[in-house]
Amino acid sequence: MAGDVLADQVGDVVGTWYGYVAAHPHLLAYFSPPDGEPDANYLERVRPRFEQWILDTCRRPYDQAWLDYQHEIALRHTRSKKDQTDHVNAVDQVPLRHIIAFVYPITATIRPFLSQKGHDSADVERMFQAWFKAVTLEVALWSRPYTLQDAW
Amino acid sequence: MAGDVLADQVGDVVGTWYGYVAAHPHLLAYFSPPDGEPDANYLERVRPRFEQWILDTCRRPYDQAWLDYQHEIALRHTRSKKDQTDHVNAVDQVPLRHIIAFVYPITATIRPFLSQKGHDSADVERMFQAWFKAVTLEVALWSRPYTLQDAW
């Protein structure tokens, strides 16, 4: 249900998150070379993938293909793969602490979008809880390549 | 404010969380020796510290002493220090993925307790958001000793 509610709003949702990133230099730094200016091309190339991720989070079944996809997302934030997809020269890793902290803004900002399509408050609450659980689960999966052997 | 609201409810809050742990064998396992039965003594020794943690999460200032305390909590879930405080023989580590996943139940279950003291819905919502932010921040800090060098 949340996927249908968000489908025509993903541009605005990601716009909200980009505004949040842009307002925090310590986050914008991960779209920039070390001590350099943000790479506008990189920011724009990431945007449609970020939009697709919203719908995938709502709609994809929790199967092996989904687990593999989550692992690929994780690697693309680490030194193994960050910047390679877009052939950019930015900082080579988003530290794990920022990945975990993002659970809060990515969750707290979604509720207004979930209530845009006329659902009653009980349905909006159910969609919000499902989103919060899904994002938390994904972040737990994304932590894997950051973690010491046998500690994940 | 949340600290005052929760102060006389911390036993019930932790009781709720213990019920959640007890209902999930893969979580209860961390209070047990490998392939053994849960250690009731260990569970009871942890309980008052868990209750105190609720109040500390609400009330402690974010200073160096608090950072040191968070790091100590983190270590007590890893092979460095788990089981030592209580001199028990249980599994020697709570894997990071479970620590991160716990953001959800620890947050989702708190709202009914926040609304027990007659605050209006706007105040309850503010307390809920503050709790959600604080728990997410603490989990980000707790991930540090689990993380590869220069990846935290």
Side-chain angles (χ1 to χ4, degrees):
Chain A
M1 181 161 65
D4 297 334
V5 168
L6 295 174
D8 68 355
Q9 303 186 84
V10 292
D12 292 338
V13 175
V14 173
T16 297
W17 295 340
Y18 266 41
Y20 182 89
V21 168
H24 294 85
H26 74 279
L27 297 178
L28 198 57
Y30 299 102
F31 288 97
S32 318
D35 303 316
E37 293 299 307
D39 183 334
N41 174 55
Y42 182 28
L43 279 157
E44 289 314 303
R45 287 181 61 100
V46 169
R47 192 186 287 268
R49 290 198 299 273
F50 213 168
E51 294 176 2
Q52 183 61 45
W53 170 77
I54 295 171
L55 298 180
D56 290 341
T57 297
C58 297
R59 293 173 168 170
R60 289 282 188 101
Y62 288 170
D63 56 13
Q64 188 61 47
W66 175 81
L67 283 169
D68 294 345
Y69 170 46
Q70 298 308 319
H71 191 59
E72 176 67 18
I73 291 172
L75 290 175
R76 289 184 184 193
H77 290 81
T78 71
R79 292 199 180 90
S80 297
K81 287 203 169 181
K82 185 171 181 294
D83 304 342
Q84 291 179 21
T85 304
D86 302 309
H87 309 290
V88 295
N89 177 31
V91 173
D92 67 356
Q93 182 170 254
V94 181
L96 179 61
R97 66 188 188 278
H98 294 310
I99 303 277
I100 296 173
F102 240 62
V103 169
Y104 179 77
I106 291 284
T107 300
T109 52
I110 205 74
R111 192 192 286 269
F113 295 102
L114 294 173
S115 62
Q116 282 296 311
K117 302 292 178 182
H119 293 82
D120 63 29
S121 62
D123 275 348
V124 170
E125 180 65 18
R126 275 192 285 270
M127 288 189 279
F128 175 77
Q129 295 295 335
W131 176 263
F132 180 9
K133 273 191 269 196
V135 170
T136 304
L137 175 59
E138 291 187 17
V139 169
L141 293 170
W142 298 345
S143 70
R144 187 168 196 168
Y146 290 91
T147 305
L148 293 165
Q149 192 169 12
D150 301 325
W152 180 73
Chain B
M1 183 161 65
D4 297 335
V5 169
L6 296 174
D8 68 356
Q9 303 186 84
V10 293
D12 292 336
V13 175
V14 173
T16 298
W17 296 338
Y18 267 40
Y20 182 90
V21 168
H24 294 86
H26 75 280
L27 297 178
L28 197 57
Y30 299 101
F31 287 97
S32 318
D35 303 315
E37 292 300 307
D39 182 335
N41 173 54
Y42 183 25
L43 278 158
E44 288 316 302
R45 286 181 61 99
V46 168
R47 192 186 288 268
R49 291 199 300 272
F50 213 168
E51 294 177 1
Q52 184 61 46
W53 169 77
I54 295 171
L55 298 180
D56 291 340
T57 296
C58 296
R59 293 173 167 169
R60 289 285 187 100
Y62 289 169
D63 56 14
Q64 188 60 47
W66 175 80
L67 284 170
D68 294 345
Y69 169 45
Q70 299 308 318
H71 191 60
E72 177 67 18
I73 291 173
L75 290 175
R76 290 184 182 193
H77 291 80
T78 71
R79 292 200 180 89
S80 296
K81 288 201 168 181
K82 185 170 180 295
D83 304 341
Q84 290 180 21
T85 304
D86 302 309
H87 309 290
V88 294
N89 175 31
V91 173
D92 67 356
Q93 180 170 257
V94 181
L96 179 61
R97 66 187 188 279
H98 294 310
I99 304 279
I100 296 173
F102 239 62
V103 169
Y104 179 78
I106 292 284
T107 300
T109 52
I110 204 75
R111 192 192 285 269
F113 296 101
L114 294 173
S115 62
Q116 282 296 313
K117 302 294 178 181
H119 293 82
D120 64 29
S121 61
D123 276 348
V124 171
E125 179 66 19
R126 275 191 285 270
M127 289 189 279
F128 174 76
Q129 295 295 334
W131 176 264
F132 181 8
K133 273 191 270 195
V135 170
T136 304
L137 176 59
E138 291 187 20
V139 169
L141 293 170
W142 297 346
S143 71
R144 187 168 196 166
Y146 289 93
T147 305
L148 293 165
Q149 191 168 13
D150 301 324
W152 180 73

